[in-house]
Amino acid sequence: MTDLNTIAQNYITAWNESDAARRQALLEVTFTEDVSYRDPIMQGDGHEGVAALIDGVQQRFAGFRFSLKGQPDGFADTIRFSWNLGPEGTESVIEGTDIGVIENGRLKSITGFLDKVPAQ
């Protein structure tokens, strides 16, 4: 049985990791090599593509941290979980929900939805 909590927590941990070597190890544990990530504003494929997305988010939102919002759920090969992004110890600035397809305990694809974004 796939542990949805572990998959979601590994995902959040990877997005928060600023050290490239440690992040690479997390990407290998969390995502299949051919992972596909899509949300309304960005997309990336494979470990290199996801690493580039993480780098971009960390640069744009320096000092912000991701955290899980609620409990992940899912069925069959699908996981759904929500997350917060903002400075630690304050209300989140951005919130989202991600839907993932799991293959052999790792995420093969992620489709992200932005539930809360700052006014432009």
Side-chain angles (χ1 to χ4, degrees), residues 16-43:
N16 283 331
E17 183 55 62
S18 59
D19 180 84
R22 286 194 304 255
R23 184 184 321 126
Q24 182 60 38
L26 287 164
L27 292 174
E28 291 171 9
V29 169
T30 307
F31 303 100
T32 62
E33 288 184 27
D34 61 344
V35 63
S36 167
Y37 178 95
R38 303 286 182 270
D39 74 22
I41 56 174
M42 58 187 192
Q43 61 184 21

PDB file of all heavy atoms in Angstrom, residues 16-43:
ATOM      1  N   ASN A  16      11.068  22.608  -0.561  1.00  0.00           N
ATOM      2  CA  ASN A  16      11.692  23.478   0.436  1.00  0.00           C
ATOM      3  C   ASN A  16      13.219  23.362   0.469  1.00  0.00           C
ATOM      4  O   ASN A  16      13.879  24.233   1.040  1.00  0.00           O
ATOM      5  CB  ASN A  16      11.147  23.164   1.834  1.00  0.00           C
ATOM      6  CG  ASN A  16       9.774  23.728   2.054  1.00  0.00           C
ATOM      7  OD1 ASN A  16       9.397  24.746   1.477  1.00  0.00           O
ATOM      8  ND2 ASN A  16       9.001  23.072   2.909  1.00  0.00           N
ATOM      9  N   GLU A  17      13.770  22.313  -0.122  1.00  0.00           N
ATOM     10  CA  GLU A  17      15.212  22.073  -0.024  1.00  0.00           C
ATOM     11  C   GLU A  17      15.998  23.030  -0.920  1.00  0.00           C
ATOM     12  O   GLU A  17      15.805  23.070  -2.128  1.00  0.00           O
ATOM     13  CB  GLU A  17      15.536  20.627  -0.414  1.00  0.00           C
ATOM     14  CG  GLU A  17      17.004  20.275  -0.278  1.00  0.00           C
ATOM     15  CD  GLU A  17      17.558  20.547   1.102  1.00  0.00           C
ATOM     16  OE1 GLU A  17      17.079  19.924   2.073  1.00  0.00           O
ATOM     17  OE2 GLU A  17      18.473  21.405   1.210  1.00  0.00           O
ATOM     18  N   SER A  18      16.909  23.791  -0.309  1.00  0.00           N
ATOM     19  CA  SER A  18      17.698  24.758  -1.073  1.00  0.00           C
ATOM     20  C   SER A  18      19.049  24.199  -1.509  1.00  0.00           C
ATOM     21  O   SER A  18      19.649  24.713  -2.456  1.00  0.00           O
ATOM     22  CB  SER A  18      17.892  26.043  -0.263  1.00  0.00           C
ATOM     23  OG  SER A  18      18.539  25.750   0.952  1.00  0.00           O
ATOM     24  N   ASP A  19      19.543  23.168  -0.865  1.00  0.00           N
ATOM     25  CA  ASP A  19      20.807  22.551  -1.236  1.00  0.00           C
ATOM     26  C   ASP A  19      20.584  21.635  -2.449  1.00  0.00           C
ATOM     27  O   ASP A  19      19.794  20.687  -2.381  1.00  0.00           O
ATOM     28  CB  ASP A  19      21.374  21.752  -0.067  1.00  0.00           C
ATOM     29  CG  ASP A  19      22.680  21.091  -0.416  1.00  0.00           C
ATOM     30  OD1 ASP A  19      23.723  21.760  -0.325  1.00  0.00           O
ATOM     31  OD2 ASP A  19      22.659  19.902  -0.821  1.00  0.00           O
ATOM     32  N   ALA A  20      21.271  21.922  -3.551  1.00  0.00           N
ATOM     33  CA  ALA A  20      21.034  21.206  -4.810  1.00  0.00           C
ATOM     34  C   ALA A  20      21.284  19.706  -4.692  1.00  0.00           C
ATOM     35  O   ALA A  20      20.514  18.907  -5.235  1.00  0.00           O
ATOM     36  CB  ALA A  20      21.892  21.802  -5.920  1.00  0.00           C
ATOM     37  N   ALA A  21      22.333  19.288  -3.999  1.00  0.00           N
ATOM     38  CA  ALA A  21      22.643  17.861  -3.875  1.00  0.00           C
ATOM     39  C   ALA A  21      21.572  17.139  -3.048  1.00  0.00           C
ATOM     40  O   ALA A  21      21.120  16.048  -3.422  1.00  0.00           O
ATOM     41  CB  ALA A  21      24.026  17.667  -3.257  1.00  0.00           C
ATOM     42  N   ARG A  22      21.179  17.736  -1.943  1.00  0.00           N
ATOM     43  CA  ARG A  22      20.126  17.109  -1.128  1.00  0.00           C
ATOM     44  C   ARG A  22      18.800  17.096  -1.881  1.00  0.00           C
ATOM     45  O   ARG A  22      18.041  16.135  -1.809  1.00  0.00           O
ATOM     46  CB  ARG A  22      19.981  17.840   0.210  1.00  0.00           C
ATOM     47  CG  ARG A  22      21.134  17.543   1.158  1.00  0.00           C
ATOM     48  CD  ARG A  22      20.834  17.973   2.586  1.00  0.00           C
ATOM     49  NE  ARG A  22      20.490  19.372   2.714  1.00  0.00           N
ATOM     50  CZ  ARG A  22      21.279  20.314   3.202  1.00  0.00           C
ATOM     51  NH1 ARG A  22      22.498  20.011   3.612  1.00  0.00           N
ATOM     52  NH2 ARG A  22      20.877  21.561   3.296  1.00  0.00           N
ATOM     53  N   ARG A  23      18.529  18.171  -2.617  1.00  0.00           N
ATOM     54  CA  ARG A  23      17.287  18.213  -3.400  1.00  0.00           C
ATOM     55  C   ARG A  23      17.290  17.120  -4.469  1.00  0.00           C
ATOM     56  O   ARG A  23      16.289  16.452  -4.682  1.00  0.00           O
ATOM     57  CB  ARG A  23      17.079  19.576  -4.042  1.00  0.00           C
ATOM     58  CG  ARG A  23      15.735  19.598  -4.762  1.00  0.00           C
ATOM     59  CD  ARG A  23      15.427  20.855  -5.531  1.00  0.00           C
ATOM     60  NE  ARG A  23      15.847  22.060  -4.867  1.00  0.00           N
ATOM     61  CZ  ARG A  23      16.620  22.974  -5.435  1.00  0.00           C
ATOM     62  NH1 ARG A  23      17.057  22.842  -6.661  1.00  0.00           N
ATOM     63  NH2 ARG A  23      16.944  24.065  -4.773  1.00  0.00           N
ATOM     64  N   GLN A  24      18.422  16.909  -5.120  1.00  0.00           N
ATOM     65  CA  GLN A  24      18.499  15.868  -6.149  1.00  0.00           C
ATOM     66  C   GLN A  24      18.167  14.505  -5.558  1.00  0.00           C
ATOM     67  O   GLN A  24      17.432  13.720  -6.164  1.00  0.00           O
ATOM     68  CB  GLN A  24      19.896  15.845  -6.799  1.00  0.00           C
ATOM     69  CG  GLN A  24      20.036  14.823  -7.906  1.00  0.00           C
ATOM     70  CD  GLN A  24      19.069  15.051  -9.056  1.00  0.00           C
ATOM     71  OE1 GLN A  24      18.796  16.189  -9.432  1.00  0.00           O
ATOM     72  NE2 GLN A  24      18.526  13.974  -9.608  1.00  0.00           N
ATOM     73  N   ALA A  25      18.687  14.212  -4.370  1.00  0.00           N
ATOM     74  CA  ALA A  25      18.379  12.943  -3.708  1.00  0.00           C
ATOM     75  C   ALA A  25      16.881  12.850  -3.416  1.00  0.00           C
ATOM     76  O   ALA A  25      16.268  11.791  -3.601  1.00  0.00           O
ATOM     77  CB  ALA A  25      19.198  12.797  -2.427  1.00  0.00           C
ATOM     78  N   LEU A  26      16.269  13.950  -2.987  1.00  0.00           N
ATOM     79  CA  LEU A  26      14.826  13.965  -2.722  1.00  0.00           C
ATOM     80  C   LEU A  26      14.026  13.789  -4.007  1.00  0.00           C
ATOM     81  O   LEU A  26      13.002  13.091  -4.024  1.00  0.00           O
ATOM     82  CB  LEU A  26      14.423  15.268  -2.039  1.00  0.00           C
ATOM     83  CG  LEU A  26      14.831  15.409  -0.580  1.00  0.00           C
ATOM     84  CD1 LEU A  26      14.722  16.857  -0.138  1.00  0.00           C
ATOM     85  CD2 LEU A  26      13.982  14.503   0.293  1.00  0.00           C
ATOM     86  N   LEU A  27      14.473  14.401  -5.102  1.00  0.00           N
ATOM     87  CA  LEU A  27      13.777  14.244  -6.378  1.00  0.00           C
ATOM     88  C   LEU A  27      13.777  12.785  -6.805  1.00  0.00           C
ATOM     89  O   LEU A  27      12.766  12.271  -7.298  1.00  0.00           O
ATOM     90  CB  LEU A  27      14.431  15.113  -7.458  1.00  0.00           C
ATOM     91  CG  LEU A  27      14.299  16.620  -7.280  1.00  0.00           C
ATOM     92  CD1 LEU A  27      15.111  17.345  -8.342  1.00  0.00           C
ATOM     93  CD2 LEU A  27      12.857  17.066  -7.320  1.00  0.00           C
ATOM     94  N   GLU A  28      14.883  12.093  -6.610  1.00  0.00           N
ATOM     95  CA  GLU A  28      14.976  10.691  -7.005  1.00  0.00           C
ATOM     96  C   GLU A  28      14.048   9.801  -6.187  1.00  0.00           C
ATOM     97  O   GLU A  28      13.498   8.836  -6.705  1.00  0.00           O
ATOM     98  CB  GLU A  28      16.426  10.221  -6.901  1.00  0.00           C
ATOM     99  CG  GLU A  28      17.310  10.879  -7.942  1.00  0.00           C
ATOM    100  CD  GLU A  28      18.795  10.625  -7.750  1.00  0.00           C
ATOM    101  OE1 GLU A  28      19.160   9.777  -6.896  1.00  0.00           O
ATOM    102  OE2 GLU A  28      19.587  11.277  -8.442  1.00  0.00           O
ATOM    103  N   VAL A  29      13.862  10.127  -4.921  1.00  0.00           N
ATOM    104  CA  VAL A  29      12.967   9.357  -4.050  1.00  0.00           C
ATOM    105  C   VAL A  29      11.499   9.681  -4.330  1.00  0.00           C
ATOM    106  O   VAL A  29      10.637   8.814  -4.251  1.00  0.00           O
ATOM    107  CB  VAL A  29      13.294   9.655  -2.564  1.00  0.00           C
ATOM    108  CG1 VAL A  29      12.228   9.099  -1.635  1.00  0.00           C
ATOM    109  CG2 VAL A  29      14.651   9.107  -2.194  1.00  0.00           C
ATOM    110  N   THR A  30      11.214  10.928  -4.669  1.00  0.00           N
ATOM    111  CA  THR A  30       9.845  11.426  -4.751  1.00  0.00           C
ATOM    112  C   THR A  30       9.221  11.282  -6.125  1.00  0.00           C
ATOM    113  O   THR A  30       8.012  11.030  -6.234  1.00  0.00           O
ATOM    114  CB  THR A  30       9.816  12.914  -4.326  1.00  0.00           C
ATOM    115  OG1 THR A  30      10.439  13.031  -3.042  1.00  0.00           O
ATOM    116  CG2 THR A  30       8.404  13.448  -4.245  1.00  0.00           C
ATOM    117  N   PHE A  31      10.005  11.444  -7.193  1.00  0.00           N
ATOM    118  CA  PHE A  31       9.478  11.501  -8.553  1.00  0.00           C
ATOM    119  C   PHE A  31      10.094  10.430  -9.443  1.00  0.00           C
ATOM    120  O   PHE A  31      11.283  10.136  -9.319  1.00  0.00           O
ATOM    121  CB  PHE A  31       9.793  12.867  -9.183  1.00  0.00           C
ATOM    122  CG  PHE A  31       9.275  14.043  -8.412  1.00  0.00           C
ATOM    123  CD1 PHE A  31      10.105  14.775  -7.587  1.00  0.00           C
ATOM    124  CD2 PHE A  31       7.950  14.424  -8.516  1.00  0.00           C
ATOM    125  CE1 PHE A  31       9.641  15.873  -6.876  1.00  0.00           C
ATOM    126  CE2 PHE A  31       7.466  15.519  -7.810  1.00  0.00           C
ATOM    127  CZ  PHE A  31       8.305  16.239  -6.988  1.00  0.00           C
ATOM    128  N   THR A  32       9.304   9.911 -10.392  1.00  0.00           N
ATOM    129  CA  THR A  32       9.866   9.037 -11.416  1.00  0.00           C
ATOM    130  C   THR A  32      10.800   9.882 -12.286  1.00  0.00           C
ATOM    131  O   THR A  32      10.696  11.108 -12.317  1.00  0.00           O
ATOM    132  CB  THR A  32       8.770   8.397 -12.290  1.00  0.00           C
ATOM    133  OG1 THR A  32       8.055   9.432 -12.978  1.00  0.00           O
ATOM    134  CG2 THR A  32       7.805   7.555 -11.461  1.00  0.00           C
ATOM    135  N   GLU A  33      11.701   9.226 -13.012  1.00  0.00           N
ATOM    136  CA  GLU A  33      12.646   9.965 -13.857  1.00  0.00           C
ATOM    137  C   GLU A  33      11.936  10.769 -14.933  1.00  0.00           C
ATOM    138  O   GLU A  33      12.407  11.826 -15.337  1.00  0.00           O
ATOM    139  CB  GLU A  33      13.653   9.010 -14.485  1.00  0.00           C
ATOM    140  CG  GLU A  33      14.646   8.465 -13.486  1.00  0.00           C
ATOM    141  CD  GLU A  33      15.706   7.597 -14.132  1.00  0.00           C
ATOM    142  OE1 GLU A  33      16.002   7.788 -15.329  1.00  0.00           O
ATOM    143  OE2 GLU A  33      16.229   6.726 -13.426  1.00  0.00           O
ATOM    144  N   ASP A  34      10.783  10.269 -15.393  1.00  0.00           N
ATOM    145  CA  ASP A  34      10.050  10.937 -16.475  1.00  0.00           C
ATOM    146  C   ASP A  34       8.860  11.749 -15.965  1.00  0.00           C
ATOM    147  O   ASP A  34       7.891  11.959 -16.672  1.00  0.00           O
ATOM    148  CB  ASP A  34       9.585   9.917 -17.517  1.00  0.00           C
ATOM    149  CG  ASP A  34       8.646   8.866 -16.933  1.00  0.00           C
ATOM    150  OD1 ASP A  34       8.567   8.722 -15.690  1.00  0.00           O
ATOM    151  OD2 ASP A  34       7.993   8.170 -17.729  1.00  0.00           O
ATOM    152  N   VAL A  35       8.965  12.237 -14.735  1.00  0.00           N
ATOM    153  CA  VAL A  35       7.875  13.002 -14.121  1.00  0.00           C
ATOM    154  C   VAL A  35       7.483  14.191 -15.003  1.00  0.00           C
ATOM    155  O   VAL A  35       8.321  14.783 -15.686  1.00  0.00           O
ATOM    156  CB  VAL A  35       8.265  13.481 -12.704  1.00  0.00           C
ATOM    157  CG1 VAL A  35       9.445  14.436 -12.743  1.00  0.00           C
ATOM    158  CG2 VAL A  35       7.078  14.094 -11.981  1.00  0.00           C
ATOM    159  N   SER A  36       6.204  14.513 -14.946  1.00  0.00           N
ATOM    160  CA  SER A  36       5.659  15.657 -15.672  1.00  0.00           C
ATOM    161  C   SER A  36       4.931  16.535 -14.665  1.00  0.00           C
ATOM    162  O   SER A  36       4.088  16.049 -13.905  1.00  0.00           O
ATOM    163  CB  SER A  36       4.682  15.155 -16.733  1.00  0.00           C
ATOM    164  OG  SER A  36       3.925  16.204 -17.257  1.00  0.00           O
ATOM    165  N   TYR A  37       5.268  17.839 -14.636  1.00  0.00           N
ATOM    166  CA  TYR A  37       4.627  18.796 -13.729  1.00  0.00           C
ATOM    167  C   TYR A  37       3.963  19.886 -14.562  1.00  0.00           C
ATOM    168  O   TYR A  37       4.592  20.469 -15.449  1.00  0.00           O
ATOM    169  CB  TYR A  37       5.659  19.434 -12.779  1.00  0.00           C
ATOM    170  CG  TYR A  37       5.026  20.452 -11.863  1.00  0.00           C
ATOM    171  CD1 TYR A  37       4.610  20.097 -10.593  1.00  0.00           C
ATOM    172  CD2 TYR A  37       4.797  21.755 -12.292  1.00  0.00           C
ATOM    173  CE1 TYR A  37       3.988  21.030  -9.759  1.00  0.00           C
ATOM    174  CE2 TYR A  37       4.180  22.689 -11.477  1.00  0.00           C
ATOM    175  CZ  TYR A  37       3.776  22.311 -10.214  1.00  0.00           C
ATOM    176  OH  TYR A  37       3.158  23.217  -9.404  1.00  0.00           O
ATOM    177  N   ARG A  38       2.695  20.180 -14.246  1.00  0.00           N
ATOM    178  CA  ARG A  38       1.958  21.238 -14.930  1.00  0.00           C
ATOM    179  C   ARG A  38       1.103  21.993 -13.919  1.00  0.00           C
ATOM    180  O   ARG A  38       0.434  21.390 -13.086  1.00  0.00           O
ATOM    181  CB  ARG A  38       1.007  20.670 -15.991  1.00  0.00           C
ATOM    182  CG  ARG A  38       1.667  19.800 -17.051  1.00  0.00           C
ATOM    183  CD  ARG A  38       2.462  20.627 -18.036  1.00  0.00           C
ATOM    184  NE  ARG A  38       3.073  19.833 -19.082  1.00  0.00           N
ATOM    185  CZ  ARG A  38       4.283  19.297 -19.023  1.00  0.00           C
ATOM    186  NH1 ARG A  38       5.014  19.416 -17.934  1.00  0.00           N
ATOM    187  NH2 ARG A  38       4.786  18.619 -20.037  1.00  0.00           N
ATOM    188  N   ASP A  39       1.144  23.327 -13.986  1.00  0.00           N
ATOM    189  CA  ASP A  39       0.175  24.148 -13.270  1.00  0.00           C
ATOM    190  C   ASP A  39      -0.137  25.342 -14.169  1.00  0.00           C
ATOM    191  O   ASP A  39       0.403  25.425 -15.282  1.00  0.00           O
ATOM    192  CB  ASP A  39       0.666  24.516 -11.853  1.00  0.00           C
ATOM    193  CG  ASP A  39       1.761  25.559 -11.772  1.00  0.00           C
ATOM    194  OD1 ASP A  39       1.936  26.360 -12.715  1.00  0.00           O
ATOM    195  OD2 ASP A  39       2.456  25.593 -10.745  1.00  0.00           O
ATOM    196  N   PRO A  40      -1.007  26.250 -13.756  1.00  0.00           N
ATOM    197  CA  PRO A  40      -1.406  27.332 -14.663  1.00  0.00           C
ATOM    198  C   PRO A  40      -0.280  28.265 -15.124  1.00  0.00           C
ATOM    199  O   PRO A  40      -0.422  28.941 -16.137  1.00  0.00           O
ATOM    200  CB  PRO A  40      -2.441  28.118 -13.846  1.00  0.00           C
ATOM    201  CG  PRO A  40      -2.970  27.153 -12.863  1.00  0.00           C
ATOM    202  CD  PRO A  40      -1.809  26.254 -12.531  1.00  0.00           C
ATOM    203  N   ILE A  41       0.851  28.307 -14.397  1.00  0.00           N
ATOM    204  CA  ILE A  41       1.888  29.267 -14.778  1.00  0.00           C
ATOM    205  C   ILE A  41       3.241  28.646 -15.102  1.00  0.00           C
ATOM    206  O   ILE A  41       4.123  29.344 -15.593  1.00  0.00           O
ATOM    207  CB  ILE A  41       2.058  30.361 -13.697  1.00  0.00           C
ATOM    208  CG1 ILE A  41       2.363  29.747 -12.341  1.00  0.00           C
ATOM    209  CG2 ILE A  41       0.830  31.239 -13.625  1.00  0.00           C
ATOM    210  CD1 ILE A  41       2.677  30.754 -11.260  1.00  0.00           C
ATOM    211  N   MET A  42       3.424  27.357 -14.846  1.00  0.00           N
ATOM    212  CA  MET A  42       4.723  26.758 -15.159  1.00  0.00           C
ATOM    213  C   MET A  42       4.590  25.268 -15.425  1.00  0.00           C
ATOM    214  O   MET A  42       3.605  24.636 -15.046  1.00  0.00           O
ATOM    215  CB  MET A  42       5.738  27.031 -14.051  1.00  0.00           C
ATOM    216  CG  MET A  42       5.355  26.540 -12.692  1.00  0.00           C
ATOM    217  SD  MET A  42       6.564  27.131 -11.471  1.00  0.00           S
ATOM    218  CE  MET A  42       6.087  26.117 -10.084  1.00  0.00           C
ATOM    219  N   GLN A  43       5.619  24.734 -16.086  1.00  0.00           N
ATOM    220  CA  GLN A  43       5.649  23.305 -16.368  1.00  0.00           C
ATOM    221  C   GLN A  43       7.087  22.834 -16.451  1.00  0.00           C
ATOM    222  O   GLN A  43       7.993  23.615 -16.760  1.00  0.00           O
ATOM    223  CB  GLN A  43       4.904  22.987 -17.651  1.00  0.00           C
ATOM    224  CG  GLN A  43       5.464  23.632 -18.886  1.00  0.00           C
ATOM    225  CD  GLN A  43       4.614  23.345 -20.115  1.00  0.00           C
ATOM    226  OE1 GLN A  43       3.442  23.010 -20.012  1.00  0.00           O
ATOM    227  NE2 GLN A  43       5.209  23.480 -21.269  1.00  0.00           N
TER     228      GLN A  43
END
